[in-house]
Every structure is written in structure tokens, then in C-alpha cells.
Amino acid sequence: MKNIVVILVSLFLLSCGNEKNITKKTVSEGKENILRLSRQQVESSAFSFVNLQEHTISHTLKLSGEIDVPPQNLVSVSSALGGYIRSTRLLPGMHFRKGDVIAVIEDNQYIQLQQDYLTAKAQLQKALAEYNRQKELNRSKASSDKVYQQAKADYETLLISKQSLEGKLRLVHFNPADVTVTNIRPNAQIYAPFDGYVSRIFVNTGKYVSPADILFELISLKDLYLNLKVFEKDWGKVHIGQSITAYTNHNPDKKYKGEVMLTGKNISEQRTVELLVRFHNADAYLIPGLYMNAAIEIPDNRSYALPEESILTFEGKNYVFKVLDSRRFELMNVKTGLSGNGWTEILEPEKLKDARIVQKGAYTLLMALKNKAEE
């Protein structure tokens, strides 16, 4: 029994000693960051080298938003006098041209309006003749000033009435010159105010509408813009006139170019600010409410940087290989900043001052160093 205990204690101490040696070896190998290559390995590898350089790093700001239209391009159409909808040819999404008849509205008040206008026009002719006659008589003192002033007042009152009725006729798209005794119509036509598309329809044939009712909602696609949301922390990086590239999720290869035309001055509850972008190459595919992604190139201050190819990411950290001599390379940890245009900012450039850094072949050296550590 005593011999068995001695053997177990010996095995335990031997095991602890081996574990200590293994741990010591692992720590030692973890600190090993210098790689030495043979002459043949150097000659067979196509290495290239670079020094720390000053560059203006431009990074891409990713944004998203929806297409919208200016208030003046979203028009709600109504009738100035109301009436019954006699006919309309519009359907949601239909394209129309400026001047197209989009609805015909009918009511007795259109007849009454034309009647009042023609009556005022006829009375005005009679009043004008009487005014001119009294003017001549008053000049020769054959008529009193009171009679002349009354004739003048009657004429001007009818003139005002005629002008007012002409204005009402134009509101319902009647040309006063076309209103005659033989051409009185019971209906008025509503015309499209611009080229565009039908967004929504609120009426049907036979429905009575008042002047307060909206008949149609029309959209002009002439001045579409993209309403983007930029976070508060990035708002100061964008400015009016900045170029932007936008694309949809359905067709990301189709790029739309534009520029920032306005930046918002209010921060929402989500800590975002509105950014309005004007398109340079808008087409019929772009419609209000369409979701889009966008990218803006943001130039930063000049800083010391290295090509992205020379920077290696390993176990969550960034490294570069510094050239010690023709066959020896040191793996160095570096802190990086912004990346863009193929370059990455180095935050502690003094560590790499005047050093030659491996560019092409850096990943090959990392694999060789890793394999060495595992031997």
C-alpha cells in the first residue's frame, strides 16, 4: 500500500511539472512575433513594401430614406362651384398630360352663372351708351351733374359685376369670350394642371361634390427628391452640394446620382436629421414612397495611413509586418482609424515612422508565423 501511494505522488508531481512546462512554452510562443525566412523563401515570394504616407481618407456614410415630392408637386384637385360628377376617365397610377380633361362636372349653377354674365354684359352696353350720352350733355350743361353722376355710377357698377362674373367663369374653366346666347352649357370641365400621375381618386360618376371636397390627388414627378435620415453624430459631415449615390433594394446595380440640396435643422426623437437630395438622372421607376439606400463620400482631414492590403486582422486586432532586414519581419500591433479609397488611417504613426511595411505578401507572412507558433 505504501508503494502505491509513493507511485501516485510521483505521477502527480510529474504531471504538474509537464503542465508547467507546456504553459511556459505556450506563453513563450505567444510572445514570439519575429519571423525569419530562408533565402529561398524570400526569393520565391513576391513581396512589396510601403512606407507610412499622408493621405486624405474619404469614408462612405451609409444612409436610407424614401422618395418624396415637394408640396407644390402634390396637388389636390377640387371644383370651385361643386356639382355632380358627370364623367371621369382617371384611374390610380394613370399618366396624364397638362390640359387633359380629367373630369366633367354638372349643375344648374353653371347655367345660372352664364346667364348672369350675359345679362350683365348686355346691361353694360346699354349703361355705357347712356353714360357717354350724359357725359356729352353735361359738358354742354344740357344735363345736370346729378344725372351725369348717376349714369356714371350705373355704368361702373355693371362693369364691376361683369368683371366679377368673368372671374367666376375662369375659376370653372369657362372662357368668357366663348359664352354666348347660343352656347350656354350645363357642365364645366376640369383640366390637368401639369404632366404627372394619378395618386388617389375620391369620387365616382354621379356623386355630388362641394367646393370643399377633394376630387383627385395628382403628382408631378418633375422635382422628385430623396428624403434621407442622417444621425446626429454625422450631421456635421454633410453639406449642400455634396454628391450622393442612391439605389434600391430591388435593383442595387442601378445607381442614381444626385446632390444634397437641403439639410434639416431639427433633430427627431430618433436623433436623426432630414437630408433632402435632388436627383440628376431620375426616371419613371422612381415613385413617391419608394425606399432607397444611399452613400455619401465624406472626406476627412489628412492623416498618416497605410494601404488596406498591408493591414491584417487577427483575433480581433490589427497588425502590420515591419521589415527588420532582408529576411526578418516583425509582426506589430497597430491602432487604426477610418478607411476609404483603399487606405486606412494609423492612429499612432510614431510607432511606424521611417519603417518599411510589407504590403503585398503580408497575409503569407502571417500564415507562416502562425504555422511556426504551432510547431
Side-chain angles (χ1 to χ4, degrees), residues 27-45:
V27 172
S28 177
E29 287 181 352
K31 293 181 179 179
E32 183 63 51
N33 59 356
I34 296 178
L35 178 67
R36 182 183 180 89
L37 300 181
S38 66
R39 192 178 303 278
Q40 291 77 10
Q41 287 176 314
V42 173
E43 291 176 352
S44 62
S45 301

Side-chain angles (χ1 to χ4, degrees), residues 210-228:
S210 69
D213 294 329
I214 297 175
L215 311 183
F216 313 103
E217 188 177 84
L218 309 179
I219 295 177
S220 171
L221 303 182
K222 183 178 179 182
D223 297 315
L224 285 176
Y225 65 86
L226 181 58
N227 190 334
L228 297 173

Side-chain angles (χ1 to χ4, degrees), residues 25 29-30 32 367-375:
K25 182 179 180 182
E29 287 181 352
E32 183 63 51
M367 291 300 99
L369 186 63
K370 185 178 178 182
N371 293 334
K372 174 187 174 184
E374 294 175 353
E375 291 177 355

Side-chain angles (χ1 to χ4, degrees), residues 211-259:
D213 294 329
I214 297 175
L215 311 183
F216 313 103
E217 188 177 84
L218 309 179
I219 295 177
S220 171
L221 303 182
K222 183 178 179 182
D223 297 315
L224 285 176
Y225 65 86
L226 181 58
N227 190 334
L228 297 173
K229 306 296 183 184
V230 57
F231 283 103
E232 176 185 2
K233 65 182 179 65
D234 296 320
W235 177 70
K237 300 177 183 178
V238 296
H239 56 80
I240 295 175
Q242 209 161 9
S243 298
I244 191 170
T245 301
Y247 55 92
T248 65
N249 290 330
H250 303 293
N251 188 11
D253 294 332
K254 172 64 175 177
K255 306 297 184 183
Y256 294 90
K257 301 295 183 180
E259 67 177 49

